[in-house]
Amino acid sequence: MDGQEISPRRATSADVARLAGVSRTTVSFVLNDTPTQSISAETRRRVLAAARELSYAPSAEARALSRGRSTSVLVYLPPARSLTEEIGRIVERLSMLFDEAGLSMVIHAWTRRPAAQVWSSVTPAAVLAWDLTDEDAQLMRGNGVRGVASWTGTDAIGRWVTGAREQDSARLQVGRLVAAGHHRLGYAVTGADHMHGASQWRCEVLRRECEQRGLPAPGVIRLPADPSRAAQALEQWRASAPGVTGICAHDSTAALAVLAGMRRLGWRAPEDLAVVGVSDSAAAALADPPLTMVALDPEVTARYIVDVVTALVAGSPTPPAPSSGGAILVDRDSV
Amino acid sequence: MDGQEISPRRATSADVARLAGVSRTTVSFVLNDTPTQSISAETRRRVLAAARELSYAPSAEARALSRGRSTSVLVYLPPARSLTEEIGRIVERLSMLFDEAGLSMVIHAWTRRPAAQVWSSVTPAAVLAWDLTDEDAQLMRGNGVRGVASWTGTDAIGRWVTGAREQDSARLQVGRLVAAGHHRLGYAVTGADHMHGASQWRCEVLRRECEQRGLPAPGVIRLPADPSRAAQALEQWRASAPGVTGICAHDSTAALAVLAGMRRLGWRAPEDLAVVGVSDSAAAALADPPLTMVALDPEVTARYIVDVVTALVAGSPTPPAPSSGGAILVDRDSV
DNA sequence: CACAGACACTAACACGCGTTAGTACACCCG
DNA sequence: CGGGTGTACTAACGCGTGTTAGTGTCTGTG
């Protein structure tokens, strides 16, 4: 299949019209079911037959051009470190929901600098980013991008994600640990994410949750994703924060790092230190001990994001945020 | 930032022309550096200034329409189960490389049925899929899609992936196990992937690799991604295939499942059973014991894919496949 | 029989761009 | 002064759609 034969240029609506013996306008009316126009049954049949015969599909570009607005949504992929299994599932769900909404999802890796370059060469109807400065957002809006939203921003989606969604996770994490008798908590993150975007928010929300329950603010433990170095970091931290018995891990990897470090030190979970992570994964279920995790429903998140974006594109008011963040506690053995 | 003000419709090349006091044609010549046309320094300056002033960006749709070919590449996401950390990195790299090649990557989840629907509503220049039947491929080509390639197909990319790339992994996996004194091997997969696409190929390539070294063909172990059920499967399999001491795991999750099952049975790695996985991940490094893995370089893969696709789109002959699959053995403690 | 109105269809424009053919002007050579 | 050669620019077309305004025919009504 290497020598792909030169494809006869794809069929256009004019080809369909010619084959069906009608005008191009009629073809358009039939295929779009234009309600203001009536078409005889016979003509409709002929047009549909011709379209099928030529396996005609309208050109997305021409359609976008004609209707005046693009149908593509540019989604900036979060930085590699944050590309978790959960995000993968959200992305997958997004692609299907956007498709149902008649939008196509263009994905691009987030590169700090030439961001403007990308969104301007794709001319999307909306942009969904992980992290976005207000200047960037303003610039995009000024250039015809109707919907601009970000995960950690101050727009509708950002507020919900960093609000209800994070709050749900924090409540479940802290609640589970407290129920097991842990009153001094810590917050674990891996790598360079420390104090960046999502991590920053999570930490803040956890602090508030603890405060509300009359617990001391959780200290931050930054762990390398390597067993022996994780052990080292864990030991150092233990010395500086005695009495902490429960850990809220930022994600699956952070939870695994805590477990790996503990193993090296001869500590046992949950006896010596209890762990609850966020964003469930296959690896978490297979850990030793199997990790108790807060699972975030990709469906709820994807649904809300698509609803907001389509509303922005259509110019209608943004829908109310779901009251729940779609978080569920998956109880296993690490607490 | 909710009340997004109505954006003044985005600037067109006509706006730039008006502001610069020249014709639209001249604007196009300046901005595209058309080599057949000479432009006075003064005019060029004025046009560039006007473009900058209006922060003009050409419409991707109009450009594609005018130049006759689309610039979007439709990438079908592999089914959720195969969405590994490694694939994530490849996707990330793809987006950057395609961008450099002037193509934009549209991502869509692979849904068995309405596949045709998607690629026809996006009208991409090329389609890259995980798995693709020859009929689907033929249909797309007949409809103006110039490049059609798939991961497990019989096209250039497919041959390389299922050839050199899989072969490299198999050689490293088997080689490492043999070096440690293991001569009877098994192949572990999780979930429903059993005997589908990539897994099927991997198994076949492993069989050939073993044959070449005079070893018996590896038996297949299918594991659930759950510790106790994995243990059960492992025990049953052990009874039916005694003497096997080395396991080639399909991916990170399969390797973790083997480890989890062994732990439940009180077996130790690598003493009772040695494990080598493919597609390294953070979780593999944090496992107990840390997993020896074959890491596949996303750069090599992404680079070749982009080279092939751009060649197909341009109509030039496809470049030769890289001799190496970009696989490296990451030695840890599970062998 | 004339006229209104529904019906079925089409001509023609707009969308924003790339590009070909062509125009106006200045210059040099015979 | 006529004709050629550049140089710097523009008018106009085509890409494939969606859509508005219009045209012709058939039917029913006063």
Side-chain angles (χ1 to χ4, degrees):
Chain A
M1 298 211 307
D2 251 352
Q4 313 201 356
E5 67 249 32
I6 306 119
S7 46
R9 123 196 161 286
R10 63 178 288 150
T12 72
S13 78
D15 295 326
V16 177
R18 208 169 304 125
L19 181 58
V22 297
S23 76
R24 216 179 47 66
T25 309
T26 303
V27 172
S28 177
F29 285 152
V30 170
L31 296 181
N32 295 332
D33 272 330
T34 309
T36 60
Q37 187 58 257
S38 65
I39 300 286
S40 76
E42 167 60 13
T43 302
R44 158 166 280 122
R45 196 193 56 69
R46 282 223 313 281
V47 169
L48 290 174
R52 165 176 295 271
E53 162 79 17
L54 300 174
S55 67
Y56 164 75
S59 148
E61 292 90 356
R63 173 174 278 174
L65 188 58
S66 172
R67 300 224 291 207
R69 71 184 123 101
S70 158
T71 64
S72 65
V73 175
L74 176 60
V75 175
Y76 278 113
L77 234 45
R81 308 235 101 182
S82 316
L83 232 172
T84 64
E85 225 171 291
E86 187 210 356
I87 300 273
R89 280 194 297 264
I90 292 180
V91 166
E92 185 175 8
R93 209 62 201 107
L94 279 178
S95 95
M96 316 211 53
L97 294 176
F98 272 132
D99 188 54
E100 285 171 17
L103 299 171
S104 65
M105 185 168 83
V106 176
I107 277 214
H108 202 278
W110 174 253
T111 52
R112 194 69 203 85
R113 264 313 106 208
Q117 184 66 9
V118 176
W119 65 258
S120 75
S121 79
V122 174
T123 59
V127 172
L128 176 65
W130 183 251
D131 212 343
L132 204 61
T133 65
D134 282 358
E135 304 101 276
D136 279 342
Q138 214 52 43
L139 188 57
M140 291 177 186
R141 288 209 192 85
N143 235 313
V145 180
R146 310 195 56 162
V148 179
S150 77
W151 200 258
T152 60
T154 55
D155 53 288
I157 292 176
R159 280 203 309 271
W160 176 70
V161 169
T162 56
R165 201 161 184 274
E166 291 289 310
Q167 227 155 72
D168 273 20
S169 320
R171 187 173 308 132
L172 287 173
Q173 279 189 302
V174 174
R176 183 66 189 84
L177 289 170
V178 167
H182 303 281
H183 297 290
R184 300 194 54 139
L185 275 34
Y187 167 66
V189 217
T190 54
D193 297 339
H194 176 55
M195 290 295 106
H196 273 79
S199 167
Q200 203 164 4
W201 272 99
R202 182 76 52 78
C203 194
E204 171 60 19
V205 175
L206 277 172
R207 202 189 55 66
R208 278 212 303 271
E209 181 70 27
C210 286
E211 189 176 14
Q212 220 167 345
R213 293 174 186 258
L215 307 180
V220 179
I221 323 163
R222 191 177 154 196
L223 296 171
D226 165 275
S228 63
R229 280 164 56 221
Q232 196 178 329
L234 212 52
E235 197 167 27
Q236 270 178 17
W237 163 80
R238 195 41 165 316
S240 72
V244 174
T245 57
I247 299 275
C248 300
H250 179 74
D251 57 13
S252 205
T253 303
L256 290 170
V258 172
L259 248 41
M262 289 174 62
R263 200 176 296 125
R264 289 282 161 116
L265 296 171
W267 303 354
R268 296 187 51 83
E271 296 83 358
D272 298 309
L273 205 53
V275 185
V276 188
V278 177
S279 164
D280 200 18
S281 68
L286 293 167
D288 176 36
L291 280 161
T292 292
M293 301 286 288
V294 171
L296 293 165
D297 184 359
E299 186 61 31
V300 173
T301 309
R303 180 82 261 172
Y304 179 55
I305 289 178
V306 171
D307 285 349
V308 169
V309 170
T310 47
L312 288 176
V313 170
S316 47
T318 53
S323 54
S324 146
I328 297 171
L329 188 77
V330 179
D331 234 320
R332 289 195 272 255
D333 309 326
S334 64
V335 174
Chain B
M1 298 213 309
D2 252 351
Q4 312 201 354
E5 66 249 31
I6 307 121
S7 49
R9 125 199 160 285
R10 64 178 285 150
T12 73
S13 79
D15 296 327
V16 177
R18 207 169 305 125
L19 181 58
V22 297
S23 78
R24 215 179 47 67
T25 308
T26 303
V27 171
S28 178
F29 285 154
V30 170
L31 297 182
N32 294 333
D33 272 331
T34 309
T36 61
Q37 186 57 257
S38 65
I39 299 287
S40 76
E42 166 60 13
T43 303
R44 159 167 280 122
R45 198 193 56 70
R46 282 223 312 281
V47 170
L48 291 175
R52 168 176 291 273
E53 162 79 17
L54 300 174
S55 66
Y56 165 76
S59 147
E61 293 90 355
R63 170 174 280 171
L65 189 57
S66 172
R67 300 223 290 209
R69 71 183 124 100
S70 157
T71 64
S72 66
V73 175
L74 176 60
V75 175
Y76 278 112
L77 235 44
R81 309 233 99 184
S82 316
L83 231 171
T84 64
E85 225 171 291
E86 188 209 356
I87 302 270
R89 279 193 298 261
I90 292 180
V91 167
E92 186 176 5
R93 209 62 200 108
L94 280 178
S95 93
M96 315 210 55
L97 294 175
F98 272 132
D99 187 53
E100 285 171 17
L103 299 171
S104 65
M105 185 169 83
V106 177
I107 277 215
H108 203 277
W110 177 252
T111 52
R112 193 69 203 85
R113 262 316 106 206
Q117 184 68 10
V118 176
W119 64 258
S120 75
S121 80
V122 174
T123 58
V127 173
L128 176 66
W130 183 250
D131 213 344
L132 203 60
T133 66
D134 282 357
E135 305 101 276
D136 278 344
Q138 215 53 44
L139 187 58
M140 291 178 188
R141 286 207 195 87
N143 233 314
V145 180
R146 310 196 55 163
V148 180
S150 77
W151 201 258
T152 60
T154 55
D155 55 286
I157 292 176
R159 280 203 309 271
W160 176 70
V161 168
T162 57
R165 201 161 185 275
E166 292 289 310
Q167 228 156 71
D168 273 20
S169 320
R171 186 173 310 132
L172 288 173
Q173 279 189 303
V174 174
R176 184 66 189 85
L177 289 170
V178 167
H182 303 281
H183 297 288
R184 301 194 53 138
L185 274 33
Y187 167 66
V189 219
T190 53
D193 297 337
H194 177 55
M195 289 295 105
H196 273 80
S199 169
Q200 202 164 1
W201 271 100
R202 182 76 52 78
C203 193
E204 171 60 19
V205 175
L206 277 172
R207 202 189 54 66
R208 279 210 303 271
E209 180 69 27
C210 286
E211 189 176 11
Q212 220 168 344
R213 294 173 186 259
L215 308 180
V220 178
I221 324 161
R222 190 176 155 197
L223 296 171
D226 164 276
S228 62
R229 281 162 56 218
Q232 196 178 328
L234 211 53
E235 197 168 26
Q236 270 178 19
W237 163 80
R238 197 36 167 319
S240 73
V244 175
T245 57
I247 298 276
C248 300
H250 178 76
D251 57 13
S252 204
T253 303
L256 290 170
V258 172
L259 248 39
M262 290 175 61
R263 200 175 296 127
R264 288 283 162 116
L265 296 170
W267 303 353
R268 295 187 52 83
E271 296 82 359
D272 298 308
L273 204 55
V275 185
V276 188
V278 177
S279 166
D280 199 20
S281 68
L286 293 167
D288 177 37
L291 279 160
T292 293
M293 301 286 288
V294 171
L296 294 165
D297 185 0
E299 186 62 31
V300 174
T301 310
R303 179 83 261 170
Y304 180 55
I305 290 178
V306 170
D307 286 347
V308 169
V309 169
T310 48
L312 288 176
V313 169
S316 46
T318 54
S323 53
S324 147
I328 298 171
L329 188 77
V330 180
D331 234 321
R332 288 196 272 254
D333 311 326
S334 64
V335 175

